[in-house]
Amino acid sequence: MSRQHTAVESLQIFEKKGAPGTAVAQVRAMAGAGLAGDRHADGGPKQISVTDAAAAVWMARQPEEGLCFPRYKANITVSFAGGRTFRPGDRFRAGSAVLEITDSRKLCFPECPRFPKREACLLRWSAWYARVVESGVIRTGDPVIFSEEEQ
């Protein structure tokens, strides 16, 4: 896998719960807080939501919408190369910021129409939460560089 192919595809800020996000070309990541202007910039373990671009494409192609399809909103969408994904504890650089994955695998809910049918949901494996370890600016198109690749 070449790290130049794993990149930030899009960025969004969500100012209020339930409101649509605002697409931005760049955002300031603040250590210990989250993304400037985002409602989750409160210092918790789920400061930033991250998803794989392939999950968004997959959701759009599904004949039946899952409960979380319209609910899950990613701040950062990443296009992965070579099958690499995130695991809790992974650190990566995007732009001049360093983020750490704190949680993975979004939960499924019994009230989802896909749940009783045992239909697979890519969001379960393609949604992560992160915290900001080092402040910096993240821009659309920035490469995603995993910590072990920097050494």
Side-chain angles (χ1 to χ4, degrees), residues 19-48:
T22 302
V24 295
Q26 68 178 33
V27 66
R28 177 116 182 106
M30 303 174 298
L35 300 179
D38 191 77
R39 71 183 196 89
H40 288 106
D42 60 5
K46 295 182 177 182
Q47 299 168 11
I48 301 170

Side-chain angles (χ1 to χ4, degrees), residues 13-76:
I13 298 299
F14 300 93
E15 294 180 35
K16 296 179 186 171
K17 184 174 182 163
T22 302
V24 295
Q26 68 178 33
V27 66
R28 177 116 182 106
M30 303 174 298
L35 300 179
D38 191 77
R39 71 183 196 89
H40 288 106
D42 60 5
K46 295 182 177 182
Q47 299 168 11
I48 301 170
S49 55
V50 183
T51 195
D52 183 352
V57 171
W58 175 85
M59 286 189 298
R61 292 181 177 162
Q62 296 307 298
E64 182 172 37
E65 186 176 81
L67 179 72
C68 294
F69 288 18
R71 291 182 180 183
Y72 181 76
K73 299 177 181 358
N75 295 113
I76 302 174

